[in-house]
Amino acid sequence: MPAQDFVSPDQIRARFSAAMSLMYKQEVPLYGTLLALVSEVNRQVMTQRPEVAQALRWTGEVERLDQERHGAIRVGTAAELSTIGRLFAVMGMQPVGYYDLSPAGVPVHSTAFRPVHEQSLHISPFRVFTSLLRLELIDDPALRELARSILDKRQIFTSRALELIEQSERDGGLNDEDANEFVAQALHTFRWHHEATVTAQEYQRLHDQHRLIADVVAFKGPHINHLTPRTLDIDAIQLGMPAQGIPPKAVIEGPPTRRHPILLRQTSFKALQESIDFRDAAGSHTARFGEIEQRGAALTPKGRQLYDQLLDAAREALGGVPAESNADRYMSLLAETFRAFPDDLGQMREQGLAYFRYFPTEKGLAASEHPASLDALIQAGHVHFEALVYEDFLPVSAAGIFQSNLGDDGQAEYGSNANRDAFEDALGQRVQDELALYAESERRSLVACAEALGLPGLEAFTGHHITH
Ligand code: OOG
Ligand code: NI
C-alpha cells in the first residue's frame, strides 16, 4: 500500500481520543457534567481575561483546549505493558518519563504515553498515564502467585486489535478503513467490565493486600479509570463542583494559584461504587473517578528543582499529609512558600526557570534591521515569547490522586523502590526524557523565529538552558 493512503498516527489518535471520550461519557455520566462545567469556566476565562486568551492564541493551545484529555490505566504484566506500548505507537504516542509511586504506598511504576512533537500535540494532545503493577512488592508469596496466575490467563487485547497492530508495524501505517477498525478494536481494552474474573473471596484477598491490586488483577482488562479535561481556572472548578453534586478532594495537587501557572494543578472526585458480578456472587468495587487539571509552564531542571524544594518546604511546614482537616492551612502555606517562585514570565525567562516558545511579531517581520541579541529583539518588540506548556505529570500529585481515590483505608508501606531499568525491560523500550523534549521544542521555535526574521542562528544567543 502506498504510504499516502495511510492515515497519520496523529489523526488516528484524534479519532481514538474522541471515541474514548464518547465511551466514557456513556460509562460515567458524571464525566459529562464535568465537561460542561469545564467548558463553561473556560469560556468565562477567555472572555474575562483577554491576556490569557491572547497567550493561548499565540501558542495555538486555544485550538486544542476543547479536546484536551488525559486518561489513566493500570496494567498487570510486562507483556501487557509492552503491547500497550505498541498499541499507543500506532497512534503516535511514545512513553515519556518514569514515575515511581512506591514511596507513596502505591505498588506501581508508571510512564505517560503521549505525542512528543508540538505539531502532533497541537493536532491531538491525548495522553495516557500508564502504571504497571509491581507484584514483586507484595510480601505474601501465596497471594503474589495467585495474582500472577490470574493475570497470566487473561488477554486484554482483541485478536483483531493485535492483527492491526502487527499490520501497522509491518506496512508502516493503516489506511482509513483499517484505522477506524483499529480505533474500535483498541477501545475494547479500555472498557469497563461488570464481570470479574475472580471469586468474591479471591477479590477480598487481593483487596485486603491493597485495593489497587484488586483493581488490576480481578478484571478482564485495564479499564480507563478517569478521563481528565483541561481547565483554565481550576480554583473556579474546585469551587463550582459541589453545586453540581460533585464533591472534590480536599486540596488541589501541585503548585498554588498564580498569575502565570506552572506545571500542573489537579483535583479529583471519588469513584462511585459499581456493582460487580464475581464468579460466584454479586458485590461491588470502586474503580472510576473524575479529575480536572490546569496546565502551566514547563520548567527547566533549575525551575523544577525550585518547585520540588518549595513543595517539600510547604509539606514539611504542614507536618503531615494534606487532607480534609488541614486543607486550608496547607493551601495558605503553599501560597506563602511559593512567593519565592517569580510569577512573571520575563523573570522566569531571565532566571532560566521555564521553557519558552518564541514568535516573530508583525513589527519584527516588517523591520528591515534587527538588533543582534534575543534579549534585544524581545526588547524591541521584534520577538514575542510565551511559556511552553507542561505536557507531563508530577509524581507527588499522582500519588495524591491515587490515594484520594483508593480511600483512606490504611496506607501501605513500600519504601522507595525506583527501578527504571526494570520498567523499561518490561516495556521493551526506553522512556523518553521529557526535559530533552521541551528543550528541543524551544529550540525549534527559535530556529523558526530566526528563519522568519532572516537572522542567522538565533539559537546561538539564547539562554543557558538550551541544550543541543
Ligand atoms: C493514575 C493517577 C495519576 C495523574 O493525573 O496524576 C494521574 C491512576 O490512578 O491510575 O492520573
Ligand atoms: Ni490523572
Side-chain angles (χ1 to χ4, degrees), residues 1-273:
M1 163 144 333
Q4 58 267 30
D5 283 351
F6 290 149
V7 178
S8 79
D10 291 337
Q11 287 304 334
I12 301 178
R13 181 175 65 260
R15 290 180 196 180
F16 183 79
S17 172
M20 180 81 100
S21 188
L22 200 63
M23 178 177 87
Y24 203 63
K25 219 181 266 182
Q26 287 157 0
E27 289 186 350
V28 182
L30 218 47
Y31 167 70
T33 312
L34 196 65
L35 286 189
L37 180 61
V38 168
S39 103
E40 173 58 21
V41 166
N42 287 358
R43 207 184 47 77
Q44 277 170 14
V45 173
M46 293 289 283
T47 51
Q48 288 164 11
R49 298 189 55 197
E51 74 285 4
V52 173
Q54 192 55 42
L56 294 170
R57 269 185 221 112
W58 274 108
T59 62
E61 280 162 84
V62 71
E63 285 126 37
R64 66 180 234 190
L65 188 65
D66 281 349
Q67 351 148 17
E68 187 151 358
R69 302 280 185 277
H70 87 252
I73 56 169
R74 305 149 182 175
V75 297
T77 66
E80 289 177 358
L81 181 67
S82 66
T83 308
I84 275 287
R86 292 168 57 211
L87 180 145
F88 283 140
V90 175
M91 353 180 181
M93 294 159 79
Q94 313 288 327
V96 179
Y98 171 76
Y99 303 86
D100 172 28
L101 280 300
S102 62
V106 184
V108 303
H109 46 185
S110 320
T111 191
F113 286 96
R114 68 164 176 90
V116 296
H117 194 289
E118 59 276 6
Q119 282 163 10
S120 296
L121 284 155
H122 184 251
I123 294 170
S124 169
F126 183 62
R127 28 178 116 66
V128 179
F129 192 89
T130 302
S131 301
L132 173 65
L133 177 64
R134 302 179 73 178
L135 287 179
E136 74 275 15
L137 298 183
I138 302 180
D139 50 17
D140 175 347
L143 191 77
R144 204 160 53 216
E145 271 327 297
L146 173 70
R148 215 186 293 280
S149 73
I150 296 166
L151 288 169
D152 281 346
K153 273 185 257 163
R154 76 177 185 183
Q155 171 55 273
I156 65 171
F157 305 98
T158 67
S159 48
R160 189 64 188 134
L162 293 172
E163 276 170 24
L164 287 164
I165 292 169
E166 271 162 33
Q167 182 186 321
S168 175
E169 288 171 345
R170 189 184 59 233
D171 299 350
L174 296 174
N175 69 20
D176 187 60
E177 196 185 328
D178 291 340
N180 284 338
E181 193 184 3
F182 170 78
V183 166
Q185 291 290 327
L187 208 54
H188 283 298
T189 298
F190 302 87
R191 263 183 213 297
W192 174 247
H193 300 277
H194 288 282
E195 309 95 51
T197 56
V198 300
T199 65
Q201 197 220 349
E202 285 169 335
Y203 174 86
Q204 202 53 49
R205 278 184 66 198
L206 296 164
H207 186 281
D208 287 350
Q209 177 72 215
H210 199 300
R211 191 142 108 188
L212 183 105
I213 298 172
D215 185 60
V216 176
V217 177
F219 297 93
K220 288 180 184 165
H223 39 257
I224 185 103
N225 65 47
H226 62 284
L227 201 57
T228 300
R230 174 176 167 192
T231 179
L232 298 174
D233 185 350
I234 200 163
D235 296 298
I237 297 283
Q238 178 90 348
L239 281 173
M241 280 165 74
Q244 305 286 322
I246 313 174
K249 74 194 278 296
V251 301
I252 294 175
E253 299 289 346
T257 310
R258 294 163 53 90
R259 206 154 54 84
H260 296 286
I262 52 171
L263 298 174
L264 178 63
R265 302 183 73 209
Q266 298 173 301
T267 185
S268 65
F269 57 88
K270 274 193 190 167
L272 297 172
Q273 286 240 324

Side-chain angles (χ1 to χ4, degrees), residues 196-443:
T197 56
V198 300
T199 65
Q201 197 220 349
E202 285 169 335
Y203 174 86
Q204 202 53 49
R205 278 184 66 198
L206 296 164
H207 186 281
D208 287 350
Q209 177 72 215
H210 199 300
R211 191 142 108 188
L212 183 105
I213 298 172
D215 185 60
V216 176
V217 177
F219 297 93
K220 288 180 184 165
H223 39 257
I224 185 103
N225 65 47
H226 62 284
L227 201 57
T228 300
R230 174 176 167 192
T231 179
L232 298 174
D233 185 350
I234 200 163
D235 296 298
I237 297 283
Q238 178 90 348
L239 281 173
M241 280 165 74
Q244 305 286 322
I246 313 174
K249 74 194 278 296
V251 301
I252 294 175
E253 299 289 346
T257 310
R258 294 163 53 90
R259 206 154 54 84
H260 296 286
I262 52 171
L263 298 174
L264 178 63
R265 302 183 73 209
Q266 298 173 301
T267 185
S268 65
F269 57 88
K270 274 193 190 167
L272 297 172
Q273 286 240 324
E274 334 227 15
S275 50
I276 302 295
D277 293 331
F278 292 109
R279 277 173 42 203
D280 56 343
S284 69
H285 175 70
T286 51
R288 279 98 54 88
F289 59 94
E291 186 191 48
I292 309 90
E293 66 184 17
Q294 179 173 5
R295 291 186 174 269
L299 301 185
T300 60
K302 184 182 173 196
R304 179 54 185 268
Q305 202 179 9
L306 181 58
Y307 169 78
D308 286 337
Q309 183 195 320
L310 298 177
L311 188 73
D312 281 353
R315 288 185 172 234
E316 199 144 308
L318 184 72
V321 182
E324 193 88 53
S325 55
N326 55 18
D328 287 346
R329 207 168 91 78
Y330 177 64
M331 292 317 270
S332 68
L333 282 169
L334 199 64
E336 210 171 288
T337 314
F338 271 80
R339 277 199 215 120
F341 203 118
D343 192 4
D344 174 272
L345 286 190
Q347 282 177 29
M348 284 159 66
R349 201 184 75 85
E350 277 153 29
Q351 295 177 30
L353 296 172
Y355 292 104
F356 292 91
R357 284 177 75 174
Y358 296 88
F359 307 91
T361 61
E362 277 178 27
K363 184 176 174 193
L365 291 168
S368 49
E369 273 178 42
H370 301 288
S373 76
L374 180 59
D375 287 350
L377 282 159
I378 290 167
Q379 199 109 63
H382 292 195
V383 167
H384 178 78
F385 64 90
E386 292 289 347
L388 190 57
V389 67
Y390 190 59
E391 308 284 1
D392 293 285
F393 296 85
L394 297 168
V396 175
S397 299
I401 298 287
F402 263 105
Q403 275 152 358
S404 86
N405 293 294
L406 288 169
D408 309 316
D409 42 346
Q411 256 201 46
E413 282 293 337
Y414 296 103
S416 184
N417 285 282
N419 192 343
R420 183 178 173 146
D421 286 343
F423 186 83
E424 290 178 335
D425 281 351
L427 177 63
Q429 55 177 314
R430 307 291 298 272
V431 300
Q432 298 196 40
D433 172 9
E434 67 276 21
L435 295 169
L437 295 173
Y438 294 121
E440 278 164 31
S441 189
E442 181 180 83
R443 200 180 60 82

